[in-house]
Amino acid sequence: MDQLIDIQRKLAPDVLDIMIKRYRILQYIRLMQPIGRRSLSSSLAISERVLRGEVTFLKDQGLLMFAPTGMYVTAEGEKLYEQLEGVMKELLGLRDLEAKLRSRLGVKEAIVVPGDSDAFTWVKRELGRACIARMKEAVKPHDVIAVMGGTTLAAVAEMMTPDPNMETVTFVPARGGLGEQVENQANTISAQMAGKAGANYKLLHVPDQLSEETYASLIAEPGVRDILEKIKSASMVIHGIGEANTMALRRGSSEEFLHKLTEEQVVAEAFGYYFDKKGTVRYKQRTIGLQLDTLDDSKLVISVAGGASKAEAISAYMNYRPSDVLITDEEAAKRLLSM
């Protein structure tokens, strides 16, 4: 396959360019369907005139269908897209990026999706799709899956699909609420994943940050204690990696704390821990839920984070504790490798 692609690059590079362009059109429609031509043109930065010809070609090949609500990928288009994925990973150099990330970060497995989630919000859905596929590959009957909150994990939940193999699986929030938008909270995301998959879920109805006295009082409650035990028993943990200042702002931290983060070059946050560029824990905020020190070898830990702006945060967290699986996007991977 590699040899054929190299030959095509030399003899017919324009054919590969057309193939990549049509693949990206199928990819975007598949993620956002139904979608109109004008919206698609704007999102992919392709003129409407050029796009009209491309989608007409794809429709004539039986890969797209047009409806009053917009364009859809047909069953034949779905089948072709799945067949193309492996080829496109080679063609776009994503396999090479994955291998280099594994070596550079020490992760067991790296999955790189095309695009930049900083520039295109739809790439987060592609991160979500890759995460769901990896989750379903690993999940076993009666597993408990702990899920963190955040916009990236909300995109993961959005891409969940029904699966009869997950009927006995239970989703739980990995932590309490951060006081952020309800759709980005771990409770909401775990419930949404369970609902779409046809699985079970349990909720943790407590705030994330608590005083020592309140914390001690809450964890003594039987209902809270039971759900915390369930969370600790999780065989799979899915989480995002945040930029330190962004996460501190979401938690309503003081100006003094924000200044310290900048002064000490603290760049990443995960599980309530704040890391500097070298991966040293500089601060830890008391949180209720899953702690980093409980992530032992019995748990499959999947980190999902994309966008070139997250590269420094991803690097810092991985310096502390490489995950079992890192799912990221093309631009974040390139930035990580150039740092």
Side-chain angles (χ1 to χ4, degrees):
M1 178 64 73
D2 289 349
Q3 187 178 17
L4 177 59
I5 288 173
D6 286 340
I7 291 169
Q8 285 182 310
R9 281 196 178 106
K10 292 173 183 174
L11 293 180
D14 53 330
V15 172
L16 294 181
D17 290 342
I18 292 168
M19 189 171 167
I20 289 169
K21 179 168 64 177
R22 289 174 180 167
Y23 170 80
R24 290 199 185 279
I25 290 170
L26 272 178
Q27 178 191 37
Y28 190 84
I29 295 173
R30 186 171 182 263
L31 288 169
M32 305 302 291
Q33 59 190 342
I35 185 169
R37 197 165 58 216
R38 182 170 297 176
S39 178
L40 182 61
S41 169
S42 173
S43 299
L44 294 179
I46 300 174
S47 73
E48 283 198 60
R49 182 182 62 81
V50 171
L51 187 64
R52 186 183 302 113
E54 294 296 343
V55 296
T56 299
F57 172 83
L58 293 172
K59 177 178 176 290
D60 291 344
Q61 295 298 311
L63 307 177
L64 292 182
M65 62 175 285
F66 296 173
T69 51
M71 292 176 281
Y72 293 82
V73 175
T74 63
E76 185 66 26
E78 285 279 350
K79 184 179 175 182
L80 179 67
Y81 181 87
E82 288 168 8
Q83 291 171 338
L84 267 176
E85 277 195 288
V87 176
M88 296 308 296
K89 273 193 173 265
E90 297 289 351
L91 195 54
L92 296 169
L94 302 185
R95 295 276 187 222
D96 185 48
L97 285 177
E98 290 171 347
K100 288 177 178 176
L101 280 181
R102 288 196 301 272
S103 174
R104 173 73 176 270
L105 301 177
V107 295
K108 295 176 186 175
E109 183 181 350
I111 299 171
V112 179
V113 305
D116 178 7
S117 50
D118 283 345
F120 304 105
T121 55
W122 61 268
V123 178
K124 280 191 177 179
R125 294 170 66 103
E126 189 67 7
L127 288 170
R129 191 179 67 85
C131 182
I132 294 300
R134 186 64 185 86
M135 179 200 302
K136 289 185 175 183
E137 189 180 296
V139 74
K140 299 184 293 296
H142 307 289
D143 270 356
V144 175
I145 301 176
V147 181
M148 283 288 185
T151 57
T152 302
L153 270 294
V156 174
E158 202 175 341
M159 301 310 292
M160 178 62 83
T161 54
D163 192 326
N165 294 324
M166 298 182 78
E167 286 179 358
T168 60
V169 170
T170 302
F171 285 86
V172 293
R175 70 191 315 163
L178 281 180
E180 59 188 337
Q181 290 178 303
V182 68
E183 62 268 25
N184 295 331
Q185 290 185 10
N187 266 336
T188 306
I189 290 168
S190 58
Q192 186 180 357
M193 282 190 182
K196 288 191 168 188
N200 309 299
Y201 67 91
K202 290 183 178 295
L203 302 180
L204 179 62
H205 295 294
V206 295
D208 190 52
Q209 295 181 81
L210 302 165
S211 67
E212 190 78 36
E213 184 181 350
T214 307
Y215 178 83
S217 173
L218 268 176
I219 62 172
E221 291 291 327
V224 174
R225 193 168 60 242
D226 288 349
I227 181 64
L228 288 177
E229 285 302 316
K230 194 79 170 174
I231 291 168
K232 287 177 185 175
S233 75
S235 55
M236 192 183 306
V237 179
I238 303 169
H239 74 101
I241 299 169
E243 295 169 90
N245 274 288
T246 302
M247 293 305 298
L249 282 168
R250 278 168 57 183
R251 289 195 170 100
S253 300
S254 67
E255 286 293 331
E256 181 186 1
F257 183 65
L258 291 168
H259 178 69
K260 282 181 180 179
L261 295 181
T262 303
E263 194 175 58
E264 298 173 27
Q265 295 187 309
V266 179
V267 297
E269 187 277 341
F271 298 92
Y273 293 69
Y274 288 84
F275 309 89
D276 65 18
K277 292 181 180 181
K278 295 179 180 179
T280 304
V281 176
R282 303 305 292 264
Y283 297 98
K284 178 185 181 302
Q285 296 194 329
R286 174 173 291 286
T287 59
I288 190 162
L290 207 58
Q291 306 293 313
L292 265 178
D293 56 13
T294 62
L295 300 184
D296 55 31
D297 291 340
S298 68
K299 302 183 193 303
L300 176 71
V301 180
I302 302 176
S303 303
V304 191
S309 64
K310 284 277 187 79
E312 197 169 48
I314 295 169
S315 175
Y317 174 74
M318 293 296 167
N319 281 336
Y320 176 81
R321 185 202 186 282
S323 296
D324 298 302
V325 183
L326 170 65
I327 300 175
T328 190
D329 61 35
E330 193 176 355
E331 289 307 309
K334 289 176 180 175
R335 180 69 64 85
L336 275 162
L337 295 172
S338 69
M339 284 167 56

